[in-house]
Amino acid sequence: MSWGTELWDQFENLDKHTQWGIDFLERYAKFVKERLEIEQNYAKQLRNLVKKYCPKRSKDEEPRFTSCLSFYSILNELNDYAGQREVVAEEMAHKVYGELMRYGQDLKAERKHHLQEGRKAQQYLDHCWKQMDNAKAQFYLRTHMADESKNEYAAQLQNFNAEQWKHFNNSIPNIFKNLQDMDERRTVKLGETYRSFAEAERRVVPIISKCLEGMVSAAKAVDERRDSAIVVESFKSGFEPPGDFPFEDFSQNLSRTGLDGSISNTPKGDRDRDGVPGPRSDPKHPMSRTKNKLWLFGKKPKAPSLEDFSHLPPEQRRKRLQQRIDELNKELQKEMDQRDALNKMKDVYEKNPQMGDPNSLQPKISETICNMEKLRSEIHKNETWLSEVEGKQSSRGDRRHSADNHHHTPQGRESPEGSYTDDTNQEHHTPHHRTSPPQPGHPNPDPHEFDDEFDDDDPLPVIGHCKALYSFDGQNEGTLVMKEDEVLYIIEEDKGDGWTRARKQSGEEGYVPTSYVEITMEKNSKGAVTYI
């Protein structure tokens, strides 16, 4: 059906209908705009939710429980899901709403042009009708000029009929046909945008499905037994339960055996008389043993901070801090690379606005810069701790070197316990140095025994001895394995970090927990230097 033949007399109604069609198109465009704003707000709220529950910890503090890891996987998937909602909003904004707004403006201009043409045609027809009417009036007024008026009337009538036929058979049909084509194109465009409206979301459905599958997989990855095993591995002390207390027969006194200065079960009073301070507590006394072991199974002292690895021996602490600094530097480099990439993309957007909005990248750039500052702060903090550790180790080396320079003793001056004589004349003037005879279990240390370990440096002087109250497995690097009641030489006192450097009678050196040993310092030892 053609509007030109069927609706030739419905100009005003067609005017209203075409206006309604354009209004309806703009109403649909407004609907799409509100829908994409909902998608944008939804994506923004999802990202804020993910950010709210994301952990803000360093890499070493991340939990190892599968329940936590799965929850963080769900957060990652939800963040990707939010990104897809943003894709939907962007598709609707560019391919539906923007297209409709441009098309609506074109329709308005085209409709205005067609209606102006129709009004011009109508005005021209009215003008012809007035001319015919005037001619007819003249026909009646001028009867005496009947022939002339009749001829003029006939001519005008013929001209009007021709123009009227042209109006209703050519001009109006063409105008209405153009309006029909315009309205049909509007209908087709609506159909296309209806499809684009659905396609914008249908294209991301597979990705959304994968996000949901990832969430389900993360949920299935929760392993309660593995988490329980991690708890056991994280908190087990490795200590054996305390054994039965032995029967102590106090009716018999233990006699002194061996030479003076030898390590034996010397009564406390005898050792005090010889000028060597007695032990701080009797490890054999049941109450003393209970007091020393109580913290292992009862109220434990305040645990050292795990963040700076101060609970580890110095060498292992240094390696762990260096490892963490390397990891933080790698993360910082990644953030810097990401910042550079975002800045390059922003430059591209600024030069080519049709590719994207450069302002949309600013939040991510700011977040990356914030992460870089946090990483630099962490690196500085760990480097401070590392400098502290390296400073302590350097001071140890300086003190040992100082001890070698100022308290060097010729071979043979060291007793089995590591004490030195005060006879300087013997040290400087006696060609053959007197040596104390070795005793069982206390070999005379060989001055060249530790050359390989200290790169041809002399070993640290012995400043005392200690007796192990408990066994220690020495699993950490730089520590020393010891058995209960084993006797060790002290070569460096506890500097406040809970570790004492000791040497076995076999020559092996390392750190042992200060609380695990009973220490006796030698008053007359030249190497007995107190470090603060």
Side-chain angles (χ1 to χ4, degrees), residues 311-526:
H311 62 293
L312 298 176
E315 180 61 25
Q316 188 178 15
R317 181 187 180 195
R318 183 190 67 78
K319 290 185 177 181
R320 292 293 295 275
L321 287 171
Q322 185 62 54
Q323 180 182 0
R324 180 188 286 173
I325 292 171
D326 294 340
E327 293 173 354
L328 290 172
N329 280 322
K330 291 180 181 178
E331 293 183 15
L332 177 60
Q333 186 60 45
K334 291 180 181 178
E335 294 292 338
M336 293 173 65
D337 293 342
Q338 183 175 3
R339 179 202 59 188
D340 295 341
L342 289 170
N343 285 329
K344 290 181 181 178
M345 188 180 298
K346 184 178 180 182
D347 293 339
V348 173
Y349 284 178
E350 289 175 348
K351 295 177 181 177
N352 304 281
Q354 68 276 10
M355 297 183 66
D357 182 11
N359 293 328
S360 64
L361 300 176
Q362 191 57 44
K364 188 63 178 176
I365 294 175
S366 300
E367 180 183 351
T368 304
I369 293 175
C370 181
N371 292 339
M372 289 168 56
E373 292 301 321
K374 291 180 180 178
L375 288 171
R376 287 193 179 104
S377 176
E378 284 294 320
I379 292 173
H380 177 71
K381 181 169 63 174
N382 282 273
E383 286 178 344
T384 302
W385 290 331
L386 181 61
S387 299
E388 176 187 345
V389 175
E390 291 177 343
K392 288 182 178 180
Q393 290 184 331
S394 175
S395 65
R396 284 195 180 101
D398 293 342
R399 289 195 296 269
R400 194 185 81 193
H401 192 66
S402 175
D404 291 341
N405 291 336
H406 300 289
H407 304 289
H408 182 71
T409 304
Q411 181 179 2
R413 294 293 308 282
E414 185 180 347
S415 69
E417 287 182 294
S419 59
Y420 296 84
T421 64
D422 290 326
D423 188 357
T424 56
N425 293 327
Q426 180 183 354
E427 178 176 346
H428 296 288
H429 304 290
T430 306
H432 299 287
H433 306 300
R434 180 173 52 86
T435 61
S436 300
Q439 297 183 8
H442 300 276
N444 194 23
D446 185 351
H448 303 289
E449 189 174 356
F450 308 99
D451 287 352
D452 294 337
E453 183 176 356
F454 292 102
D455 298 330
D456 298 328
D457 287 342
D458 292 334
L460 289 174
V462 175
I463 59 176
H465 64 274
C466 66
K467 187 175 183 180
L469 300 176
Y470 320 106
S471 298
F472 180 61
D473 55 11
Q475 293 181 352
N476 293 327
E477 182 179 355
T479 58
L480 191 64
V481 179
M482 66 179 180
K483 298 179 180 179
E484 187 174 354
D485 295 332
E486 184 177 0
V487 176
L488 306 171
Y489 297 119
I490 303 297
I491 58 176
E492 188 173 325
E493 288 187 88
D494 185 348
K495 300 197 298 70
D497 55 6
W499 296 89
T500 297
R501 192 170 181 181
R503 179 188 300 150
K504 282 194 172 187
Q505 297 170 6
S506 61
E508 184 180 359
E509 293 185 2
Y511 291 92
V512 296
T514 305
S515 59
Y516 278 38
V517 295
E518 181 182 7
I519 299 176
T520 301
M521 302 303 295
E522 304 293 347
K523 283 187 176 180
N524 60 344
S525 172
K526 291 185 178 181

Side-chain angles (χ1 to χ4, degrees), residues 253-257 264-273 278-279:
N253 293 325
L254 298 175
S255 60
R256 187 173 203 160
T257 59
S264 64
N265 293 327
T266 307
K268 185 174 185 294
D270 292 343
R271 272 185 277 184
D272 289 340
R273 286 192 300 272

Side-chain angles (χ1 to χ4, degrees), residues 18-28 108:
T18 53
Q19 181 61 45
W20 171 87
I22 292 176
D23 292 341
F24 183 79
L25 183 142
E26 290 180 344
R27 179 176 174 81
Y28 170 63
K108 288 179 181 179

